Amino acid sequence: MKKDILSYDLDELCSEMDLIGEKKFRAKQIYEWLHIKNVHNFSSMSNIPLSLRTKLDEIYYINCIKIVRRLESSIDNTVKYLYELQDGNHIESVLMEYKHGNSLCVSTQVGCKMGCNFCASTIAGFKRNLTASEILLQVYTAEEESGRHIDSIVLMGIGEPLDNFDNVVRFLKMISCETGKNLSLRHVSLSTCGLVDRIYDLAEYRFGLTLSISLHAPDDRKRSSIMPINNRYNISELIKACKDYISVTGRRISFEYAVIHGVNDTPSDAEKLIRLLKGINCHVNLIPVNEIKERNYHSNRNSLNNFAALLEKGGLNTTIRRTLGADIDAACGQLRREYEI
Ligand code: SAH
């Protein structure tokens, strides 16, 4: 079986060249063709000798993903892509336009194992991890199709990034590689439901990215009732890992909180949240819960504003996330669900 050349980082590609008896400097040339010039076949690599191009073609393939649906919001230019992978599976990315530039939300797995009960990505279950090339190609393909430059990336699409740790780390190295897209990891956010062991591992890499923690509830009883992961790692273990992350990386953490009316938006929830997060170098991002067919969850604007005001008063740095692409169901997992039914 041919090997996926687009999933090797530059060091790995150097080792591959060694392995096939080629000079190491070829790795950099090939990497540029793949990750800067984004060619789709070896025959376009004009500074590579024909014999090597033929050899590469025998041993490797250049992965690609196909756009099978494209939805554009008429409200705010948000574009949602449904991609088909080589094996017929589907994933989604969402391109959003902000004042400071374009941001792409990418998927890291086909489906998800985490089972958060408000999330559309988990309902159809887990199929497999994405390879590094499949994560990168979401960026390259969206850029090529839209003609827009992607300035920032959020790992907040389908899947749990820290449950696909090695490929996500490889992706982060590759997207920030000087020989590739050279995107500063300051412009990358990674969101996790709280795989505590992996948070410690991630801290060791000292990437400059922003870590977002999907908290969604201020105490273990409530959190476990909506997020099964809380039975494996409870809130106090999670907060301990977050503090470690902040002290190792010097970066502040963003806590995501999907506000669900009647579930986690009471004044007492706000008080508990303040007690939990006070003194931590962090930011709270309130998200009006996206309604999905399978659940009767909704958010109430008054309670949401009230909740935000209480957090601010309690000394927490708080924002309410703007909803983009409301007319195209831009929340993660929704399009794949529709398409695969
Ligand atoms: N698995 C990762 C990243 C994917 S989800 C994580 O859990 O963080 C990206 C964010 O959207 C998470 O904060 C997730 O909890 C949130 N989310 C999922 N479904 C939602 C919904 N219906 N409404 C609002 N936020 C939702």
Side-chain angles (χ1 to χ4, degrees):
M1 217 171 83
K2 289 191 185 184
K3 302 200 245 180
D4 172 10
I5 196 164
L6 212 58
S7 278
Y8 293 115
D9 66 32
L10 191 51
D11 289 340
E12 291 169 333
L13 198 56
C14 279
S15 310
E16 282 294 313
M17 288 306 106
D18 216 23
L19 205 68
I20 65 169
E22 294 293 332
K23 296 254 166 31
K24 287 197 176 171
F25 78 91
R26 293 290 178 205
K28 190 159 185 258
Q29 292 180 319
I30 296 167
Y31 199 89
E32 277 173 6
W33 283 111
L34 294 171
H35 299 279
I36 298 179
K37 296 170 197 147
N38 299 110
V39 298
H40 300 289
N41 47 57
F42 295 108
S43 56
S44 311
M45 300 183 172
S46 54
N47 60 353
I48 305 290
L50 191 58
S51 58
L52 176 53
R53 283 187 247 163
T54 311
K55 189 166 164 186
L56 291 173
D57 200 27
E58 279 162 16
I59 305 174
Y60 306 99
Y61 68 96
I62 303 177
N63 202 359
C64 66
I65 63 178
K66 198 166 84 198
I67 299 171
V68 286
R69 265 183 89 182
R70 178 189 188 280
L71 298 178
E72 181 155 1
S73 165
S74 49
I75 311 170
D76 51 34
N77 289 336
T78 299
V79 183
K80 182 158 181 163
Y81 296 103
L82 183 74
Y83 290 121
E84 188 167 288
L85 309 175
Q86 291 294 327
D87 64 358
N89 277 309
H90 296 100
I91 50 163
E92 295 169 28
S93 300
V94 183
L95 180 59
M96 293 160 287
E97 207 174 74
Y98 293 97
K99 270 197 237 72
H100 56 263
N102 295 302
S103 177
L104 189 74
C105 175
V106 299
S107 297
T108 54
Q109 296 181 313
V110 182
C112 188
K113 297 175 204 159
M114 299 299 130
C116 302
N117 82 356
F118 46 83
C119 180
S121 299
T122 209
I123 291 163
F126 173 78
K127 290 251 180 73
R128 68 171 175 84
N129 282 330
L130 294 186
T131 59
S133 68
E134 289 167 334
I135 310 176
L136 284 166
L137 281 166
Q138 294 172 61
V139 181
Y140 300 165
T141 311
E143 235 174 22
E144 192 173 298
E145 194 283 332
S146 67
R148 300 192 211 163
H149 181 263
I150 292 170
D151 308 281
S152 62
I153 295 173
V154 295
L155 284 81
M156 290 191 186
I158 299 170
E160 166 50 50
L162 298 188
D163 188 41
N164 183 13
F165 192 82
D166 293 345
N167 289 333
V168 165
V169 165
R170 190 172 283 122
F171 163 77
L172 293 170
K173 285 182 183 165
M174 293 173 79
I175 201 79
S176 58
C177 176
E178 275 178 25
T179 307
K181 192 167 157 55
N182 196 12
L183 182 90
S184 162
L185 293 182
R186 297 264 160 180
H187 299 143
V188 173
S189 295
L190 183 155
S191 181
T192 177
C193 64
L195 298 186
V196 164
D197 295 341
R198 297 284 89 81
I199 294 174
Y200 287 107
D201 294 342
L202 186 68
E204 291 305 316
Y205 285 91
R206 290 174 174 75
F207 290 134
L209 56 77
T210 300
L211 181 64
S212 293
I213 303 289
S214 299
L215 188 60
H216 305 319
D219 64 56
D220 281 324
R221 190 184 56 80
K222 278 196 182 174
R223 191 162 193 267
S224 295
S225 74
I226 54 175
M227 299 178 71
I229 189 68
N230 199 66
N231 296 311
R232 197 151 115 213
Y233 304 105
N234 66 24
I235 291 184
S236 90
E237 290 170 290
L238 177 58
I239 297 295
K240 193 161 164 269
C242 290
K243 287 181 178 163
D244 172 85
Y245 188 89
I246 295 166
S247 77
V248 172
T249 63
R251 304 282 296 161
R252 97 180 164 164
I253 281 187
S254 170
F255 287 97
E256 309 290 306
Y257 195 103
V259 185
I260 314 173
H261 191 47
V263 174
N264 62 3
D265 67 344
T266 65
S268 137
D269 292 321
E271 257 170 53
K272 286 184 190 164
L273 196 58
I274 293 163
R275 243 179 287 137
L276 186 68
L277 301 183
K278 199 141 190 195
I280 300 178
N281 184 14
C282 72
H283 168 98
V284 180
N285 195 14
L286 299 177
I287 316 164
V289 71
N290 274 303
E291 295 174 23
I292 57 169
K293 303 196 259 307
E294 291 79 1
R295 304 268 179 261
N296 194 17
Y297 289 153
H298 63 279
S299 96
N300 173 296
R301 204 68 209 187
N302 279 339
S303 315
L304 176 67
N305 290 339
N306 197 22
F307 196 80
L310 287 173
L311 297 189
E312 279 287 349
K313 209 168 131 216
L316 297 183
N317 200 324
T318 308
T319 48
I320 299 177
R321 186 187 288 173
R322 202 155 59 94
T323 309
L324 289 177
D327 55 334
I328 54 167
D329 277 351
C332 53
Q334 296 187 345
L335 193 59
R336 169 171 174 258
R337 285 253 324 124
E338 257 172 47
Y339 198 80
E340 298 208 331
I341 281 171

